[in-house]
Amino acid sequence: MNLVTLEDITAAAERIAGHAVRTPLVPAPWADRPLWIKPESLQPVGAFKIRGAYNAVASVDPARRERGVVAYSSGNHAQAVAYAARAFGVPAWIVVPEDTPRVKVDATRAHGAEVVLVKTGERESAAYAIVEREDATLIPPFDDPRVIAGQGTIGLEIIADLPDVDLVLAPVSGGGLISGIAAAIKALRPQAQVWAVEPELAGDTAESLARGELVPWSVADRNRTIADGLRSQPSALTFAHQQAYVDGIVTVSEDEIRSAVATLAHRAHLIAEPSGAVTTAAVLHHSDKLPTGKTVAVLSGGNIDPDALATLLQA
């Protein structure tokens, strides 16, 4: 299987320049190790997904792109594809589960996309039906080299800002984010370690890496976690990247995720959705399991319902 290369990632960086924010590394002196937060919550769509989505849409042949793009997503990829489609002036149809947080649905519609709400577990089939009906182009949330390469631009920025980084922590679900980051980090600084973090209640990647093969979990099992952006499963492509480049994985509990959301707000002054807070949760609660040294925790997104955030901050 062909993995994404450093050349793919640097080409993606050129395409997305001016559309994705080059996020900073924010020092976290309150941690028990040298820690920096990479706040992808500062992106125009509130999450890292703009990188991969824009790179993928930009890579589509212009004549083909005019027919529109389709995406299925739990929310953040939805917004990112809608944003990219509007930038190119093409139609977008976005399929999301009925339980997607309202803040993500409203934001997607605000970018001009047609949002299609479906029952949990039906989003992929619904998206493919629209592709066939409209003769549009599907932009997958993670199972696509163009998407993975776009997410990998985060790794380029980390190395540019902290060349001697020892450990990079990234959330994992479908695996596009950590696949791209790990490919970039290992190409530029092979001695650095890249670790995945996922919720215990959606721990299919941890089990899969331990067994050396993809182990499916049911939708019902994965949907138990508060981290709604981490309920997908890796594809064969993203799992191959993880087997090649990821050094370890740690899982975090629901209470640990909740406390990390609060810590990021109170100590780092950063808003994180539960999915984006898992890496900080790993540092706060499982530091003894992680390699030592200069650490970067990727905060993947900050699209959280205001009422949900208020509840977490008061806990």
Side-chain angles (χ1 to χ4, degrees), residues 32-77:
D32 66 353
R33 61 169 61 215
L35 175 67
W36 289 261
I37 308 294
K38 178 77 165 165
E40 287 295 294
S41 50
L42 302 181
Q43 293 295 347
V45 299
F48 74 96
K49 291 285 191 176
I50 183 61
R51 297 173 182 265
Y54 193 91
N55 186 54
V57 173
S59 300
V60 176
D61 177 82
R64 178 78 184 141
R65 190 170 55 220
E66 286 297 319
R67 300 172 187 169
V69 294
V70 180
Y72 56 87
S73 167
S74 60
N76 286 334
H77 180 64

mmCIF file of all heavy atoms in Angstrom, residues 32-77:
data_model
loop_
_atom_site.group_PDB
_atom_site.id
_atom_site.type_symbol
_atom_site.label_atom_id
_atom_site.label_comp_id
_atom_site.label_asym_id
_atom_site.label_seq_id
_atom_site.Cartn_x
_atom_site.Cartn_y
_atom_site.Cartn_z
ATOM 1 N N ASP A 32 3.544 18.798 33.938
ATOM 2 C CA ASP A 32 4.668 18.197 34.668
ATOM 3 C C ASP A 32 5.821 17.829 33.744
ATOM 4 O O ASP A 32 6.712 17.086 34.124
ATOM 5 C CB ASP A 32 4.202 16.954 35.434
ATOM 6 C CG ASP A 32 3.759 15.826 34.506
ATOM 7 O OD1 ASP A 32 3.695 16.049 33.279
ATOM 8 O OD2 ASP A 32 3.476 14.725 35.019
ATOM 9 N N ARG A 33 5.803 18.345 32.540
ATOM 10 C CA ARG A 33 6.856 18.098 31.559
ATOM 11 C C ARG A 33 6.914 19.299 30.627
ATOM 12 O O ARG A 33 5.970 20.103 30.594
ATOM 13 C CB ARG A 33 6.556 16.836 30.753
ATOM 14 C CG ARG A 33 5.234 16.920 29.963
ATOM 15 C CD ARG A 33 5.079 15.790 28.959
ATOM 16 N NE ARG A 33 5.069 14.489 29.608
ATOM 17 C CZ ARG A 33 5.598 13.394 29.071
ATOM 18 N NH1 ARG A 33 6.157 13.451 27.874
ATOM 19 N NH2 ARG A 33 5.536 12.239 29.701
ATOM 20 N N PRO A 34 7.974 19.468 29.837
ATOM 21 C CA PRO A 34 7.967 20.544 28.843
ATOM 22 C C PRO A 34 6.903 20.248 27.786
ATOM 23 O O PRO A 34 7.047 19.311 27.000
ATOM 24 C CB PRO A 34 9.386 20.515 28.259
ATOM 25 C CG PRO A 34 9.954 19.186 28.630
ATOM 26 C CD PRO A 34 9.259 18.746 29.878
ATOM 27 N N LEU A 35 5.830 21.041 27.803
ATOM 28 C CA LEU A 35 4.667 20.762 26.970
ATOM 29 C C LEU A 35 4.248 22.001 26.192
ATOM 30 O O LEU A 35 4.234 23.106 26.726
ATOM 31 C CB LEU A 35 3.490 20.297 27.850
ATOM 32 C CG LEU A 35 2.146 20.080 27.152
ATOM 33 C CD1 LEU A 35 2.211 18.900 26.198
ATOM 34 C CD2 LEU A 35 1.035 19.879 28.187
ATOM 35 N N TRP A 36 3.902 21.762 24.924
ATOM 36 C CA TRP A 36 3.333 22.801 24.084
ATOM 37 C C TRP A 36 2.018 22.277 23.497
ATOM 38 O O TRP A 36 1.914 21.108 23.118
ATOM 39 C CB TRP A 36 4.274 23.168 22.932
ATOM 40 C CG TRP A 36 5.493 23.921 23.347
ATOM 41 C CD1 TRP A 36 5.702 25.267 23.277
ATOM 42 C CD2 TRP A 36 6.703 23.364 23.904
ATOM 43 N NE1 TRP A 36 6.955 25.585 23.751
ATOM 44 C CE2 TRP A 36 7.593 24.434 24.142
ATOM 45 C CE3 TRP A 36 7.121 22.063 24.226
ATOM 46 C CZ2 TRP A 36 8.859 24.249 24.673
ATOM 47 C CZ3 TRP A 36 8.387 21.874 24.760
ATOM 48 C CH2 TRP A 36 9.236 22.956 24.979
ATOM 49 N N ILE A 37 1.017 23.148 23.416
ATOM 50 C CA ILE A 37 -0.271 22.799 22.824
ATOM 51 C C ILE A 37 -0.316 23.351 21.402
ATOM 52 O O ILE A 37 0.024 24.512 21.166
ATOM 53 C CB ILE A 37 -1.446 23.390 23.628
ATOM 54 C CG1 ILE A 37 -1.327 23.026 25.122
ATOM 55 C CG2 ILE A 37 -2.780 22.923 23.044
ATOM 56 C CD1 ILE A 37 -1.463 21.567 25.428
ATOM 57 N N LYS A 38 -0.738 22.528 20.456
ATOM 58 C CA LYS A 38 -0.918 22.965 19.066
ATOM 59 C C LYS A 38 -2.421 23.161 18.854
ATOM 60 O O LYS A 38 -3.166 22.205 18.603
ATOM 61 C CB LYS A 38 -0.364 21.884 18.129
ATOM 62 C CG LYS A 38 -0.509 22.158 16.641
ATOM 63 C CD LYS A 38 0.494 23.159 16.134
ATOM 64 C CE LYS A 38 0.563 23.118 14.589
ATOM 65 N NZ LYS A 38 1.251 24.298 14.054
ATOM 66 N N PRO A 39 -2.926 24.405 18.968
ATOM 67 C CA PRO A 39 -4.379 24.652 18.999
ATOM 68 C C PRO A 39 -5.016 24.762 17.612
ATOM 69 O O PRO A 39 -5.217 25.859 17.079
ATOM 70 C CB PRO A 39 -4.486 25.964 19.772
ATOM 71 C CG PRO A 39 -3.224 26.693 19.410
ATOM 72 C CD PRO A 39 -2.173 25.651 19.179
ATOM 73 N N GLU A 40 -5.394 23.631 17.047
ATOM 74 C CA GLU A 40 -6.088 23.632 15.762
ATOM 75 C C GLU A 40 -7.515 24.167 15.891
ATOM 76 O O GLU A 40 -8.201 24.377 14.888
ATOM 77 C CB GLU A 40 -6.084 22.227 15.173
ATOM 78 C CG GLU A 40 -4.732 21.801 14.655
ATOM 79 C CD GLU A 40 -4.269 22.645 13.476
ATOM 80 O OE1 GLU A 40 -4.906 22.568 12.408
ATOM 81 O OE2 GLU A 40 -3.288 23.405 13.631
ATOM 82 N N SER A 41 -7.925 24.426 17.109
ATOM 83 C CA SER A 41 -9.204 25.097 17.366
ATOM 84 C C SER A 41 -9.220 26.503 16.786
ATOM 85 O O SER A 41 -10.298 27.103 16.636
ATOM 86 C CB SER A 41 -9.455 25.159 18.869
ATOM 87 O OG SER A 41 -8.313 25.684 19.539
ATOM 88 N N LEU A 42 -8.053 27.045 16.441
ATOM 89 C CA LEU A 42 -7.961 28.398 15.894
ATOM 90 C C LEU A 42 -8.200 28.443 14.385
ATOM 91 O O LEU A 42 -8.169 29.524 13.793
ATOM 92 C CB LEU A 42 -6.576 28.991 16.208
ATOM 93 C CG LEU A 42 -6.195 29.074 17.687
ATOM 94 C CD1 LEU A 42 -4.823 29.709 17.847
ATOM 95 C CD2 LEU A 42 -7.237 29.845 18.485
ATOM 96 N N GLN A 43 -8.438 27.289 13.765
ATOM 97 C CA GLN A 43 -8.701 27.273 12.328
ATOM 98 C C GLN A 43 -10.037 27.959 11.996
ATOM 99 O O GLN A 43 -10.902 28.084 12.859
ATOM 100 C CB GLN A 43 -8.725 25.829 11.818
ATOM 101 C CG GLN A 43 -7.395 25.112 11.877
ATOM 102 C CD GLN A 43 -6.358 25.728 10.945
ATOM 103 O OE1 GLN A 43 -6.661 26.531 10.072
ATOM 104 N NE2 GLN A 43 -5.108 25.359 11.163
ATOM 105 N N PRO A 44 -10.234 28.389 10.758
ATOM 106 C CA PRO A 44 -11.486 29.065 10.386
ATOM 107 C C PRO A 44 -12.736 28.239 10.672
ATOM 108 O O PRO A 44 -13.805 28.806 10.913
ATOM 109 C CB PRO A 44 -11.324 29.301 8.877
ATOM 110 C CG PRO A 44 -9.856 29.310 8.643
ATOM 111 C CD PRO A 44 -9.270 28.358 9.634
ATOM 112 N N VAL A 45 -12.612 26.909 10.638
ATOM 113 C CA VAL A 45 -13.754 26.045 10.937
ATOM 114 C C VAL A 45 -13.657 25.452 12.342
ATOM 115 O O VAL A 45 -14.428 24.559 12.696
ATOM 116 C CB VAL A 45 -13.899 24.917 9.890
ATOM 117 C CG1 VAL A 45 -14.132 25.503 8.512
ATOM 118 C CG2 VAL A 45 -12.681 23.992 9.887
ATOM 119 N N GLY A 46 -12.702 25.933 13.127
ATOM 120 C CA GLY A 46 -12.591 25.490 14.511
ATOM 121 C C GLY A 46 -11.927 24.144 14.715
ATOM 122 O O GLY A 46 -11.931 23.617 15.832
ATOM 123 N N ALA A 47 -11.324 23.578 13.669
ATOM 124 C CA ALA A 47 -10.682 22.275 13.797
ATOM 125 C C ALA A 47 -9.702 22.049 12.652
ATOM 126 O O ALA A 47 -9.767 22.714 11.609
ATOM 127 C CB ALA A 47 -11.729 21.158 13.812
ATOM 128 N N PHE A 48 -8.812 21.080 12.841
ATOM 129 C CA PHE A 48 -7.762 20.764 11.879
ATOM 130 C C PHE A 48 -8.284 20.331 10.514
ATOM 131 O O PHE A 48 -7.558 20.373 9.511
ATOM 132 C CB PHE A 48 -6.886 19.633 12.434
ATOM 133 C CG PHE A 48 -7.537 18.272 12.393
ATOM 134 C CD1 PHE A 48 -7.288 17.395 11.349
ATOM 135 C CD2 PHE A 48 -8.402 17.870 13.400
ATOM 136 C CE1 PHE A 48 -7.896 16.144 11.300
ATOM 137 C CE2 PHE A 48 -9.011 16.623 13.361
ATOM 138 C CZ PHE A 48 -8.756 15.758 12.299
ATOM 139 N N LYS A 49 -9.531 19.915 10.434
ATOM 140 C CA LYS A 49 -10.069 19.298 9.226
ATOM 141 C C LYS A 49 -9.966 20.180 7.982
ATOM 142 O O LYS A 49 -9.979 19.680 6.851
ATOM 143 C CB LYS A 49 -11.528 18.908 9.442
ATOM 144 C CG LYS A 49 -11.748 17.762 10.420
ATOM 145 C CD LYS A 49 -11.393 16.424 9.797
ATOM 146 C CE LYS A 49 -11.854 15.262 10.661
ATOM 147 N NZ LYS A 49 -11.592 13.949 10.026
ATOM 148 N N ILE A 50 -9.854 21.492 8.155
ATOM 149 C CA ILE A 50 -9.740 22.380 7.012
ATOM 150 C C ILE A 50 -8.524 22.046 6.167
ATOM 151 O O ILE A 50 -8.525 22.180 4.940
ATOM 152 C CB ILE A 50 -9.686 23.856 7.470
ATOM 153 C CG1 ILE A 50 -9.651 24.812 6.271
ATOM 154 C CG2 ILE A 50 -8.478 24.112 8.366
ATOM 155 C CD1 ILE A 50 -10.845 24.733 5.382
ATOM 156 N N ARG A 51 -7.457 21.544 6.797
ATOM 157 C CA ARG A 51 -6.220 21.252 6.067
ATOM 158 C C ARG A 51 -6.441 20.151 5.024
ATOM 159 O O ARG A 51 -6.140 20.326 3.842
ATOM 160 C CB ARG A 51 -5.125 20.835 7.059
ATOM 161 C CG ARG A 51 -4.736 21.912 8.060
ATOM 162 C CD ARG A 51 -3.774 21.355 9.106
ATOM 163 N NE ARG A 51 -3.389 22.324 10.122
ATOM 164 C CZ ARG A 51 -2.301 23.077 10.084
ATOM 165 N NH1 ARG A 51 -1.468 22.983 9.058
ATOM 166 N NH2 ARG A 51 -2.014 23.906 11.066
ATOM 167 N N GLY A 52 -6.933 19.020 5.475
ATOM 168 C CA GLY A 52 -7.140 17.907 4.562
ATOM 169 C C GLY A 52 -8.255 18.152 3.569
ATOM 170 O O GLY A 52 -8.150 17.805 2.383
ATOM 171 N N ALA A 53 -9.344 18.762 4.037
ATOM 172 C CA ALA A 53 -10.489 19.007 3.158
ATOM 173 C C ALA A 53 -10.127 19.976 2.040
ATOM 174 O O ALA A 53 -10.444 19.745 0.864
ATOM 175 C CB ALA A 53 -11.668 19.542 3.960
ATOM 176 N N TYR A 54 -9.451 21.057 2.391
ATOM 177 C CA TYR A 54 -9.097 22.037 1.360
ATOM 178 C C TYR A 54 -8.107 21.431 0.373
ATOM 179 O O TYR A 54 -8.237 21.634 -0.844
ATOM 180 C CB TYR A 54 -8.505 23.307 1.983
ATOM 181 C CG TYR A 54 -8.426 24.432 0.985
ATOM 182 C CD1 TYR A 54 -9.476 25.335 0.849
ATOM 183 C CD2 TYR A 54 -7.325 24.575 0.136
ATOM 184 C CE1 TYR A 54 -9.434 26.350 -0.096
ATOM 185 C CE2 TYR A 54 -7.269 25.578 -0.816
ATOM 186 C CZ TYR A 54 -8.324 26.461 -0.928
ATOM 187 O OH TYR A 54 -8.286 27.459 -1.875
ATOM 188 N N ASN A 55 -7.125 20.681 0.879
ATOM 189 C CA ASN A 55 -6.158 20.069 -0.031
ATOM 190 C C ASN A 55 -6.844 19.106 -0.992
ATOM 191 O O ASN A 55 -6.538 19.068 -2.192
ATOM 192 C CB ASN A 55 -5.081 19.320 0.757
ATOM 193 C CG ASN A 55 -3.975 18.789 -0.137
ATOM 194 O OD1 ASN A 55 -3.373 19.544 -0.912
ATOM 195 N ND2 ASN A 55 -3.708 17.499 -0.057
ATOM 196 N N ALA A 56 -7.801 18.336 -0.485
ATOM 197 C CA ALA A 56 -8.501 17.368 -1.327
ATOM 198 C C ALA A 56 -9.356 18.068 -2.383
ATOM 199 O O ALA A 56 -9.329 17.701 -3.565
ATOM 200 C CB ALA A 56 -9.360 16.446 -0.471
ATOM 201 N N VAL A 57 -10.120 19.073 -1.965
ATOM 202 C CA VAL A 57 -10.972 19.788 -2.918
ATOM 203 C C VAL A 57 -10.115 20.517 -3.961
ATOM 204 O O VAL A 57 -10.436 20.526 -5.157
ATOM 205 C CB VAL A 57 -11.907 20.772 -2.187
ATOM 206 C CG1 VAL A 57 -12.683 21.636 -3.180
ATOM 207 C CG2 VAL A 57 -12.878 20.015 -1.280
ATOM 208 N N ALA A 58 -9.012 21.099 -3.521
ATOM 209 C CA ALA A 58 -8.118 21.811 -4.450
ATOM 210 C C ALA A 58 -7.480 20.864 -5.455
ATOM 211 O O ALA A 58 -7.107 21.287 -6.560
ATOM 212 C CB ALA A 58 -7.031 22.543 -3.675
ATOM 213 N N SER A 59 -7.360 19.590 -5.108
ATOM 214 C CA SER A 59 -6.709 18.608 -5.974
ATOM 215 C C SER A 59 -7.640 18.025 -7.027
ATOM 216 O O SER A 59 -7.185 17.339 -7.952
ATOM 217 C CB SER A 59 -6.127 17.468 -5.122
ATOM 218 O OG SER A 59 -5.172 17.954 -4.197
ATOM 219 N N VAL A 60 -8.947 18.273 -6.900
ATOM 220 C CA VAL A 60 -9.911 17.754 -7.862
ATOM 221 C C VAL A 60 -9.815 18.561 -9.160
ATOM 222 O O VAL A 60 -9.666 19.785 -9.135
ATOM 223 C CB VAL A 60 -11.349 17.831 -7.295
ATOM 224 C CG1 VAL A 60 -12.372 17.377 -8.338
ATOM 225 C CG2 VAL A 60 -11.462 16.993 -6.035
ATOM 226 N N ASP A 61 -9.898 17.868 -10.295
ATOM 227 C CA ASP A 61 -9.879 18.544 -11.582
ATOM 228 C C ASP A 61 -10.969 19.634 -11.595
ATOM 229 O O ASP A 61 -12.116 19.371 -11.216
ATOM 230 C CB ASP A 61 -10.135 17.545 -12.701
ATOM 231 C CG ASP A 61 -10.203 18.212 -14.063
ATOM 232 O OD1 ASP A 61 -9.141 18.472 -14.643
ATOM 233 O OD2 ASP A 61 -11.334 18.489 -14.525
ATOM 234 N N PRO A 62 -10.615 20.858 -12.014
ATOM 235 C CA PRO A 62 -11.574 21.966 -11.942
ATOM 236 C C PRO A 62 -12.914 21.684 -12.627
ATOM 237 O O PRO A 62 -13.976 22.042 -12.092
ATOM 238 C CB PRO A 62 -10.837 23.117 -12.628
ATOM 239 C CG PRO A 62 -9.385 22.812 -12.381
ATOM 240 C CD PRO A 62 -9.281 21.321 -12.443
ATOM 241 N N ALA A 63 -12.879 21.050 -13.789
ATOM 242 C CA ALA A 63 -14.132 20.754 -14.485
ATOM 243 C C ALA A 63 -14.986 19.783 -13.691
ATOM 244 O O ALA A 63 -16.218 19.915 -13.631
ATOM 245 C CB ALA A 63 -13.836 20.192 -15.875
ATOM 246 N N ARG A 64 -14.330 18.830 -13.059
ATOM 247 C CA ARG A 64 -15.032 17.854 -12.227
ATOM 248 C C ARG A 64 -15.550 18.516 -10.955
ATOM 249 O O ARG A 64 -16.668 18.248 -10.499
ATOM 250 C CB ARG A 64 -14.065 16.716 -11.888
ATOM 251 C CG ARG A 64 -14.623 15.640 -10.996
ATOM 252 C CD ARG A 64 -15.502 14.700 -11.779
ATOM 253 N NE ARG A 64 -16.124 13.718 -10.899
ATOM 254 C CZ ARG A 64 -17.359 13.293 -11.037
ATOM 255 N NH1 ARG A 64 -18.123 13.763 -12.008
ATOM 256 N NH2 ARG A 64 -17.855 12.397 -10.225
ATOM 257 N N ARG A 65 -14.753 19.389 -10.402
ATOM 258 C CA ARG A 65 -15.103 20.061 -9.146
ATOM 259 C C ARG A 65 -16.352 20.909 -9.290
ATOM 260 O O ARG A 65 -17.117 21.063 -8.322
ATOM 261 C CB ARG A 65 -13.916 20.912 -8.683
ATOM 262 C CG ARG A 65 -14.062 21.468 -7.284
ATOM 263 C CD ARG A 65 -12.742 22.083 -6.817
ATOM 264 N NE ARG A 65 -12.235 23.098 -7.723
ATOM 265 C CZ ARG A 65 -10.951 23.259 -8.050
ATOM 266 N NH1 ARG A 65 -10.035 22.462 -7.522
ATOM 267 N NH2 ARG A 65 -10.577 24.216 -8.886
ATOM 268 N N GLU A 66 -16.592 21.465 -10.466
ATOM 269 C CA GLU A 66 -17.757 22.316 -10.690
ATOM 270 C C GLU A 66 -19.068 21.589 -10.407
ATOM 271 O O GLU A 66 -20.079 22.222 -10.101
ATOM 272 C CB GLU A 66 -17.756 22.843 -12.119
ATOM 273 C CG GLU A 66 -16.727 23.931 -12.395
ATOM 274 C CD GLU A 66 -16.964 25.184 -11.573
ATOM 275 O OE1 GLU A 66 -18.137 25.578 -11.435
ATOM 276 O OE2 GLU A 66 -15.986 25.754 -11.051
ATOM 277 N N ARG A 67 -19.063 20.264 -10.500
ATOM 278 C CA ARG A 67 -20.287 19.499 -10.255
ATOM 279 C C ARG A 67 -20.605 19.371 -8.767
ATOM 280 O O ARG A 67 -21.678 18.879 -8.399
ATOM 281 C CB ARG A 67 -20.166 18.111 -10.883
ATOM 282 C CG ARG A 67 -19.937 18.148 -12.383
ATOM 283 C CD ARG A 67 -19.628 16.763 -12.927
ATOM 284 N NE ARG A 67 -19.251 16.835 -14.338
ATOM 285 C CZ ARG A 67 -18.734 15.829 -15.032
ATOM 286 N NH1 ARG A 67 -18.541 14.665 -14.437
ATOM 287 N NH2 ARG A 67 -18.420 15.970 -16.305
ATOM 288 N N GLY A 68 -19.668 19.779 -7.934
ATOM 289 C CA GLY A 68 -19.913 19.768 -6.502
ATOM 290 C C GLY A 68 -19.174 18.663 -5.773
ATOM 291 O O GLY A 68 -18.605 17.757 -6.386
ATOM 292 N N VAL A 69 -19.188 18.780 -4.455
ATOM 293 C CA VAL A 69 -18.508 17.813 -3.601
ATOM 294 C C VAL A 69 -19.468 17.309 -2.532
ATOM 295 O O VAL A 69 -20.421 17.995 -2.156
ATOM 296 C CB VAL A 69 -17.249 18.411 -2.945
ATOM 297 C CG1 VAL A 69 -16.187 18.734 -3.984
ATOM 298 C CG2 VAL A 69 -17.600 19.666 -2.140
ATOM 299 N N VAL A 70 -19.192 16.099 -2.056
ATOM 300 C CA VAL A 70 -20.023 15.450 -1.042
ATOM 301 C C VAL A 70 -19.114 14.966 0.078
ATOM 302 O O VAL A 70 -17.995 14.511 -0.168
ATOM 303 C CB VAL A 70 -20.785 14.247 -1.636
ATOM 304 C CG1 VAL A 70 -21.646 13.571 -0.570
ATOM 305 C CG2 VAL A 70 -21.630 14.686 -2.819
ATOM 306 N N ALA A 71 -19.603 15.056 1.314
ATOM 307 C CA ALA A 71 -18.840 14.541 2.448
ATOM 308 C C ALA A 71 -19.792 13.938 3.464
ATOM 309 O O ALA A 71 -20.961 14.322 3.545
ATOM 310 C CB ALA A 71 -18.021 15.647 3.099
ATOM 311 N N TYR A 72 -19.287 12.969 4.215
ATOM 312 C CA TYR A 72 -20.005 12.459 5.384
ATOM 313 C C TYR A 72 -19.108 12.678 6.583
ATOM 314 O O TYR A 72 -17.889 12.546 6.503
ATOM 315 C CB TYR A 72 -20.397 10.985 5.221
ATOM 316 C CG TYR A 72 -19.255 10.044 4.932
ATOM 317 C CD1 TYR A 72 -18.507 9.467 5.962
ATOM 318 C CD2 TYR A 72 -18.928 9.706 3.623
ATOM 319 C CE1 TYR A 72 -17.470 8.592 5.694
ATOM 320 C CE2 TYR A 72 -17.895 8.841 3.342
ATOM 321 C CZ TYR A 72 -17.168 8.274 4.378
ATOM 322 O OH TYR A 72 -16.137 7.415 4.110
ATOM 323 N N SER A 73 -19.706 13.041 7.718
ATOM 324 C CA SER A 73 -18.882 13.490 8.833
ATOM 325 C C SER A 73 -19.702 13.560 10.113
ATOM 326 O O SER A 73 -20.929 13.650 10.087
ATOM 327 C CB SER A 73 -18.323 14.889 8.520
ATOM 328 O OG SER A 73 -17.762 15.503 9.652
ATOM 329 N N SER A 74 -18.980 13.526 11.242
ATOM 330 C CA SER A 74 -19.620 13.764 12.532
ATOM 331 C C SER A 74 -19.676 15.251 12.852
ATOM 332 O O SER A 74 -20.188 15.648 13.884
ATOM 333 C CB SER A 74 -18.865 13.023 13.647
ATOM 334 O OG SER A 74 -17.521 13.484 13.718
ATOM 335 N N GLY A 75 -19.095 16.080 11.972
ATOM 336 C CA GLY A 75 -19.231 17.513 12.186
ATOM 337 C C GLY A 75 -18.088 18.375 11.692
ATOM 338 O O GLY A 75 -18.290 19.294 10.913
ATOM 339 N N ASN A 76 -16.859 18.105 12.124
ATOM 340 C CA ASN A 76 -15.757 18.990 11.774
ATOM 341 C C ASN A 76 -15.348 18.872 10.309
ATOM 342 O O ASN A 76 -15.057 19.875 9.657
ATOM 343 C CB ASN A 76 -14.558 18.734 12.691
ATOM 344 C CG ASN A 76 -14.779 19.285 14.096
ATOM 345 O OD1 ASN A 76 -15.547 20.235 14.269
ATOM 346 N ND2 ASN A 76 -14.135 18.703 15.084
ATOM 347 N N HIS A 77 -15.296 17.653 9.786
ATOM 348 C CA HIS A 77 -14.996 17.488 8.362
ATOM 349 C C HIS A 77 -16.113 18.106 7.526
ATOM 350 O O HIS A 77 -15.862 18.652 6.444
ATOM 351 C CB HIS A 77 -14.841 15.996 8.042
ATOM 352 C CG HIS A 77 -14.526 15.701 6.612
ATOM 353 N ND1 HIS A 77 -13.352 16.108 6.001
ATOM 354 C CD2 HIS A 77 -15.231 15.026 5.653
ATOM 355 C CE1 HIS A 77 -13.342 15.690 4.739
ATOM 356 N NE2 HIS A 77 -14.472 15.042 4.503
#
